[in-house]
């Protein structure tokens, strides 16, 4: 899986948009960009994923640059419950073979939503 | 609730005890995974099951013994653990083996403390 780079931490005011960047300059053509988050002492939660086009769902929007070397996760109106560690992962949609099923989360970005 | 339920949420056990962690999913997923998350370390994949057959053991010590009686249930049997085994144990599932297109679904985890 391609390596990703994220800022260690970010603050966001409640009600404002949170923009979380991720660099993945070595991404391959068949690798997707996935975002998960982990609220303290809970399991990771899938948020969104994309290949080339921007994507939006009920939780967030994902903006991928044209060269696919970076992306931004946008939480349009951050709430206190969005305080979590956000992980950007790049991997193929369907892996196969021993050693390929690991989701490599890295250290992520700790987002603190401030009242 | 994510659709993946883990019990118990918290467990304290002595080094000579035997205990079991349980994971249950009714999402119709065919692949299930055990992960370990130690303090300040990334998630580590432990075991992979596909249609209740073990497909991967990521060099996990024999004091951890998984069991998958059917595609909906996964157990992790613990015996003679060490204090360094204290961690958050997470269960995850996916539609099919290695399929992450719709994301892996994680449970909330069992916080294990070995004393």
């Amino acid at each position: 899986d391609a390596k990703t780079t994220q800022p260690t931490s970010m603050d966001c005011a409640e009600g404002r948009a949170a923009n979380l960047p991720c660099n993945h300059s070595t991404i391959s053509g068949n690798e997707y960009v996935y975002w998960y988050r982990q609220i303290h002492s809970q399991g990771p939660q899938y948020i969104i994923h994309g290949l080339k086009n921007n994507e939006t769902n009920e939780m967030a929007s994902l903006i991928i640059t044209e060269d696919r070397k970076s992306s931004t996760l946008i939480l349009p109106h951050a709430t206190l419950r969005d305080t979590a560690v956000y992980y950007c992962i790049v991997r193929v949609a369907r892996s196969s073979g021993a050693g390929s099923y690991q989701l490599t989360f890295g250290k992520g970005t700790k987002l603190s939503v401030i009242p | 609730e994510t659709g993946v339920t883990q019990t118990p949420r918290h467990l304290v056990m002595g080094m000579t005890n035997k205990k079991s962690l349980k994971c249950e999913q009714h999402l119709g997923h065919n692949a299930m995974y055990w992960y370990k998350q130690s303090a300040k370390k990334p998630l580590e994949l432990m075991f992979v099951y596909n249609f209740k057959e073990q497909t991967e053991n990521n060099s996990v010590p024999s004091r951890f013994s998984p069991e998958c009686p059917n595609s909906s249930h996964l157990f992790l049997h613990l015996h003679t653990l060490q204090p360094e085994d204290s961690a958050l144990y997470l269960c995850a599932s996916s539609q099919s083996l290695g399929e992450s297109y719709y994301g892996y679904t994680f449970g909330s985890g069992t916080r294990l403390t070995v004393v």
Side-chain angles (χ1 to χ4, degrees):
Chain A
D1 295 342
K3 183 177 177 180
T4 61
T5 304
Q6 299 178 252
T8 302
S9 63
M10 293 180 63
D11 290 341
C12 177
E14 187 178 18
R16 304 297 293 269
N19 297 289
L20 295 100
C22 179
N23 287 322
H24 32 79
S25 58
T26 60
I27 191 169
S28 300
N30 63 344
E31 288 182 315
Y32 287 72
V33 180
Y34 293 85
W35 283 84
Y36 284 76
R37 72 180 182 183
Q38 188 171 21
I39 295 170
H40 182 64
S41 291
Q42 295 184 27
Q45 177 190 22
Y46 164 80
I47 301 173
I48 198 168
H49 75 279
L51 182 63
K52 297 180 185 177
N53 300 320
N54 298 337
E55 302 287 345
T56 295
N57 63 21
E58 64 279 3
M59 290 183 68
S61 295
L62 174 61
I63 308 298
I64 303 173
T65 58
E66 193 168 341
D67 63 7
R68 301 210 324 124
K69 293 185 177 182
S70 65
S71 61
T72 301
L73 178 74
I74 301 172
L75 308 179
H77 305 287
T79 70
L80 298 179
R81 282 182 286 188
D82 291 322
T83 293
V85 179
Y86 286 77
Y87 299 98
C88 169
I89 301 167
V90 291
R91 76 190 304 273
V92 295
R94 178 94 185 254
S95 59
S96 63
S100 70
Y101 308 121
Q102 170 83 19
L103 279 183
T104 304
F105 279 81
K107 296 184 178 179
T109 297
K110 182 174 174 55
L111 175 69
S112 299
V113 180
I114 312 299
Chain B
E1 282 299 326
T2 64
V4 177
T5 303
Q6 290 188 245
T7 54
R9 288 297 309 274
H10 301 273
L11 178 63
V12 179
M13 61 184 289
M15 290 188 282
T16 58
N17 290 161
K18 289 184 180 181
K19 297 287 184 183
S20 296
L21 310 185
K22 180 181 177 182
C23 175
E24 184 174 357
Q25 60 91 6
H26 295 289
L27 300 170
H29 289 175
N30 298 313
M32 297 185 78
Y33 314 81
W34 277 118
Y35 280 83
K36 173 184 177 182
Q37 188 174 33
S38 304
K40 304 191 189 241
K41 291 175 70 174
L43 268 74
E44 301 170 67
L45 181 63
M46 299 175 72
F47 300 103
V48 180
Y49 278 81
N50 187 40
F51 288 99
K52 75 179 185 179
E53 298 297 323
Q54 183 175 311
T55 61
E56 191 162 329
N57 174 338
N58 215 14
S59 302
V60 180
S62 59
R63 58 185 183 271
F64 295 91
S65 175
E67 178 190 3
C68 190
N70 53 61
S71 292
S72 298
H73 294 85
L74 187 63
F75 294 89
L76 188 62
H77 304 299
L78 316 170
H79 63 98
T80 58
L81 295 192
Q82 304 298 313
E84 58 265 29
D85 296 321
S86 299
L88 181 67
Y89 288 85
L90 291 158
C91 173
S93 68
S94 63
Q95 180 66 47
S96 58
L97 186 59
E99 169 67 72
S100 62
Y101 190 75
Y102 296 106
Y104 282 25
T105 304
F106 284 83
S108 296
T110 294
R111 173 70 62 186
L112 174 68
T113 303
V114 181
V115 297

